[in-house]
Amino acid sequence: MRGLLKLSGLIDAVNEGIGKLAYWLVLVAVIVSAANAVIRYGLNTSSNAWLELQWYLFSAVFLLCAGYTFLRNEHIRIDIVIGRFSKRVQAWVDIFGILVFMFPMTILIMVLSWPMFLDSYITHEMSSDAGGLIRWPAKILVPVGFFLLTAQGVSELIKRVAYLTGHRDEPGEKMHSHS
């Protein structure tokens, strides 16, 4: 179990680092958005590339931070119901939810999105809008984001099992802190 808890810690650290990097992506998105608005309204000109860059940055923040959000226990949950149960029951509910609902969905999206990225990369797919950007950087965000979310699911699963088997005092990071 000690090795699995180390793996869990590594996954947590990766998602924590990516989450902190995303803070900077938000800043870049705000700057790009503000500059685009000033240029569009002040100089009466526009560029589809800048609009698409805003979209790419928003997508990066949203997709790459899904694992970070799960690590911080900030996803929407059913805490109003589950908060009434003991920590052990909450851990079992989390294990069930991760195995039955989360993993099938995240793995399916990851697997199905990979060929779309590869096709876009191989064909050098470009935006259909004049002056638009290449598409593969946006498309790689989907499988990478869902990989990070799946990995965080593995980490949370390890923490819940470690708690239930007595190898950890707390069930998980901020478990059900919104109850």
Side-chain angles (χ1 to χ4, degrees), residues 82 86-99 157 160-161 163-165 171 175-176:
I82 197 172
S86 71
K87 294 286 187 193
R88 291 189 66 76
V89 170
Q90 290 177 19
W92 278 111
V93 169
D94 282 349
I95 289 170
F96 177 79
I98 290 168
L99 291 173
L157 189 63
R160 299 317 185 271
V161 169
Y163 169 71
L164 290 172
T165 59
M175 185 168 155
H176 307 291

Side-chain angles (χ1 to χ4, degrees), residues 73-85 89-90 92-94 96-97 101 176-179:
N73 196 29
E74 297 296 330
H75 281 274
I76 296 172
R77 318 181 53 100
I78 55 168
D79 289 348
I80 195 163
V81 174
I82 197 172
R84 300 171 194 245
F85 297 120
V89 170
Q90 290 177 19
W92 278 111
V93 169
D94 282 349
F96 177 79
F101 297 112
H176 307 291
S177 61
H178 299 294
S179 55

Side-chain angles (χ1 to χ4, degrees), residues 49-62:
W50 288 106
L51 293 171
E52 289 182 12
L53 181 58
Q54 287 175 236
W55 173 65
Y56 283 23
L57 290 167
F58 173 76
S59 299
V61 170
F62 180 79

Side-chain angles (χ1 to χ4, degrees), residues 20-166:
K20 291 186 177 181
L21 173 68
Y23 295 162
W24 293 104
L25 291 178
V26 171
L27 176 62
V28 172
V30 167
I31 292 169
V32 168
S33 179
N36 194 29
V38 167
I39 291 169
R40 186 172 359 145
Y41 296 113
L43 302 175
N44 201 27
T45 187
S46 184
S47 166
N48 285 328
W50 288 106
L51 293 171
E52 289 182 12
L53 181 58
Q54 287 175 236
W55 173 65
Y56 283 23
L57 290 167
F58 173 76
S59 299
V61 170
F62 180 79
L63 289 163
L64 298 179
C65 285
Y68 175 73
T69 304
F70 192 31
L71 167 66
R72 307 303 259 159
N73 196 29
E74 297 296 330
H75 281 274
I76 296 172
R77 318 181 53 100
I78 55 168
D79 289 348
I80 195 163
V81 174
I82 197 172
R84 300 171 194 245
F85 297 120
S86 71
K87 294 286 187 193
R88 291 189 66 76
V89 170
Q90 290 177 19
W92 278 111
V93 169
D94 282 349
I95 289 170
F96 177 79
I98 290 168
L99 291 173
V100 174
F101 297 112
M102 183 184 161
F103 281 165
M105 185 266 315
T106 59
I107 292 168
L108 181 66
I109 292 172
M110 192 173 27
V111 168
L112 293 177
S113 65
W114 186 253
M116 293 189 313
F117 154 70
L118 282 178
D119 182 57
S120 181
Y121 182 79
I122 291 168
T123 63
H124 304 288
E125 180 184 7
M126 296 291 295
S127 169
S128 60
D129 296 324
L133 301 175
I134 57 173
R135 287 287 189 222
W136 71 262
K139 290 188 176 183
I140 190 67
L141 293 171
V142 177
V144 169
F146 278 92
F147 172 79
L148 292 169
L149 181 56
T150 303
Q152 192 59 47
V154 169
S155 175
E156 298 303 316
L157 189 63
I158 291 168
K159 288 183 263 188
R160 299 317 185 271
V161 169
Y163 169 71
L164 290 172
T165 59

